[in-house]
């Protein structure tokens, strides 16, 4: 290779490296942009409006509370899944009349879990009315007894 080609390749490598560095540093630079008024900087100093800081702390507390609620819900779901897995294993191992009783236990657990899920989602209170009103067509024209 002649020196002109080496210089050209070297120049392209430098430009490529500079571009890659710029791309990789962009998120770090954007993360350092100043936030809303009252936001604390890295040194713990706040800007002129401290009300924004209090709102941020309140938001953080709300977030922590939601995360704790989600963790509790996940633990309940895991326990329910384990109960169902235990019942299913007992059902699969059972024979004769014991198998029928084990199948009933599995079905009862499934129904209980589904009912609990609907109650926790707030669906249970308005589900029956919503189902009958929105999904049942009006048959009064050709079913006078209805």
């Amino acid at each position: 290779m002649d020196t002109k080609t080496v210089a050209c390749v070297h120049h392209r490598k430098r430009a490529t490296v500079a571009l890659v560095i710029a791309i990789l540093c962009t998120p770090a630079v954007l993360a350092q942009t100043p936030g809303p008024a009252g936001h604390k900087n890295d040194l713990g100093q706040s800007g002129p409006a401290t009300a924004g800081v209090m709102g941020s702390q309140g938001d953080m507390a709300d977030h922590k509370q939601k995360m704790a609620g989600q963790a509790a819900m996940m633990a309940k779901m895991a326990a329910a899944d384990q109960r169902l897995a235990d019942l299913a294993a007992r059902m699969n191992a059972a024979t004769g009349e014991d198998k029928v009783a084990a199948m009933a236990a599995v079905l009862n657990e499934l129904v209980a879990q589904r009912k609990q899920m609907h109650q926790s989602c707030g669906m249970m209170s308005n589900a029956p009315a919503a189902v009958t009103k929105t999904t049942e067509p009006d048959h009064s024209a050709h079913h006078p007894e209805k």
Side-chain angles (χ1 to χ4, degrees), residues 61-78:
D62 289 344
H63 179 69
K64 286 182 180 180
Q65 187 177 10
K66 286 179 184 178
M67 293 300 290
Q70 286 178 347
M73 182 177 64
M74 294 298 286
K76 285 181 184 178
M77 288 173 56

Side-chain angles (χ1 to χ4, degrees), residues 9-68:
V9 169
H10 183 68
H11 179 68
R12 285 185 189 162
K13 282 184 182 179
R14 287 181 106 181
T16 303
V17 168
L19 181 63
V20 168
I21 289 172
I23 290 171
L24 293 176
C25 291
T26 300
V29 170
L30 291 176
Q32 294 177 2
T33 56
H39 180 73
K40 289 188 176 184
N41 63 14
D42 293 339
L43 300 175
Q45 301 165 340
S46 62
T50 57
V53 174
M54 296 305 276
S56 296
Q57 290 173 350
D59 292 343
M60 182 63 79
D62 289 344
H63 179 69
K64 286 182 180 180
Q65 187 177 10
K66 286 179 184 178
M67 293 300 290

Side-chain angles (χ1 to χ4, degrees), residues 46-116:
S46 62
T50 57
V53 174
M54 296 305 276
S56 296
Q57 290 173 350
D59 292 343
M60 182 63 79
D62 289 344
H63 179 69
K64 286 182 180 180
Q65 187 177 10
K66 286 179 184 178
M67 293 300 290
Q70 286 178 347
M73 182 177 64
M74 294 298 286
K76 285 181 184 178
M77 288 173 56
D81 287 344
Q82 186 60 49
R83 279 194 312 272
L84 192 57
D86 293 344
L87 289 172
R90 192 176 313 152
M91 176 189 70
N92 290 333
T95 59
E97 289 297 317
D98 291 338
K99 185 152 190 126
V100 174
M103 289 170 68
V106 168
L107 287 173
N108 287 332
E109 181 66 21
L110 285 170
V111 169
Q113 286 184 17
R114 186 167 178 98
K115 187 176 180 181
Q116 176 61 35

